Amino acid sequence: MSSRNKYGKFKKKDYVRIIRAVRDYLCETFGYKMKPSLFETRLSEGCLMEFFHGEKWYAVLYDYKQFKDRFGDHNFEVQNAYAAAMAAHEIRHYYQHRQMIAVKPKESEKTIALWRECEITATSFEENCETEAYYLQPLELDAFLFEYVFAAKEFGLLLLQAIANERHLDCLEALYVEYFGKTDETLFGWEIREALREARSNSD
C-alpha cells in the first residue's frame, strides 16, 4: 500500500489543493471568471466549510481542524473526495447567489424566487443543524443535491453523511427529477436507502 493510501496522509496542502481545484473547475463550468477567495478560519461546531459574501466580495471559509477531526481516519482517496464534495456544495452557493443578482439568470423564475425568499428567511446551521428546517430549505436542498451528484459522478462516492434522513433523500430525488426529468436508481434506489438506514442505525 502506498503512503498516499495510509490513514492520516491527507495533509492540509492536499485539502487546500482540492478545494482550489474544485473552485476553479466549477467557476469555469458555471461561466464565472470571478472566483470566491479561500480562507482558513475557525467555524462553529459541526460546520466544516461555509460560503460568505458581501456586496461584491465572495469567499469560501474552511476549518481544516474540524475536517480532520471528522474524516481523518479515512484513507487519502475518501478524504480527498469529501473535501471536494464540500467545496462543490459551497461553490454551488456561490452560483446561487450570482444567479439571484443576475440580470438574465440561467435558472427559472420559480427557482430564483424560491432562492431569494430562502436567502431572506434562511434557517442557519447554528440554529437548527439537525432539523429538516435547515436541510430542506431551497438553497440548501439544491446545494446538497449538487454535492451528492458531484461526489457520485466525479469520485464514485455516495455521500450518505450529507443526507440527514430518508425524507431528505426523498426531497433530493424530487428535485433531481424536476431538474433532469427522471430519477437515477444509482443515486436514489432501494440499495441507497438500505445503506442510509444502516448508516443511521450504526450512528445511534
Side-chain angles (χ1 to χ4, degrees), residues 3-96:
S3 62
R4 285 170 64 86
N5 288 328
K6 291 180 180 178
Y7 290 159
K9 292 299 181 181
F10 185 76
K11 303 298 185 182
K12 183 185 288 188
K13 65 180 181 181
D14 301 306
Y15 180 73
V16 175
R17 170 195 51 78
I18 192 63
I19 295 173
R20 181 178 293 113
V22 169
R23 178 200 62 181
D24 294 349
Y25 168 69
L26 290 179
C27 283
E28 181 177 357
T29 300
F30 292 145
Y32 295 136
K33 292 183 179 180
M34 180 186 295
K35 304 170 186 176
S37 302
L38 305 177
F39 290 105
E40 182 176 14
T41 188
R42 179 64 178 169
L43 297 172
S44 58
E45 189 67 29
C47 181
L48 279 62
M49 204 175 292
E50 182 177 8
F51 170 64
F52 176 84
H53 69 86
E55 186 175 344
K56 293 184 179 180
W57 187 78
Y58 310 99
V60 171
L61 312 178
Y62 62 88
D63 190 327
Y64 177 71
K65 182 180 184 304
Q66 286 204 74
F67 176 85
K68 290 301 287 187
D69 289 344
R70 177 84 62 86
F71 300 110
D73 60 345
H74 293 284
N75 65 30
F76 184 99
E77 285 74 17
V78 172
Q79 291 186 67
N80 189 66
Y82 269 111
M86 285 188 291
H89 182 115
E90 301 309 329
I91 299 302
R92 183 65 175 183
H93 282 318
Y94 173 63
Y95 170 81
Q96 292 165 345

Side-chain angles (χ1 to χ4, degrees), residues 22 25-26 29-30 84-85 87-93 95-96 140-152 159 172 175 179-180:
V22 169
Y25 168 69
L26 290 179
T29 300
F30 292 145
H89 182 115
E90 301 309 329
I91 299 302
R92 183 65 175 183
H93 282 318
Y95 170 81
Q96 292 165 345
E140 289 303 331
L141 194 65
D142 176 86
F144 275 116
L145 177 63
F146 189 83
E147 172 185 5
Y148 184 59
V149 173
F150 181 85
L159 283 179
L172 291 172
L175 187 60
Y179 287 165
F180 301 106

Side-chain angles (χ1 to χ4, degrees), residues 123-143:
T123 299
S124 74
F125 185 87
E126 293 86 353
E127 291 171 352
N128 260 321
C129 63
E130 295 299 330
T131 69
E132 290 184 352
Y134 174 77
Y135 286 99
L136 300 186
Q137 54 192 334
L139 286 172
E140 289 303 331
L141 194 65
D142 176 86

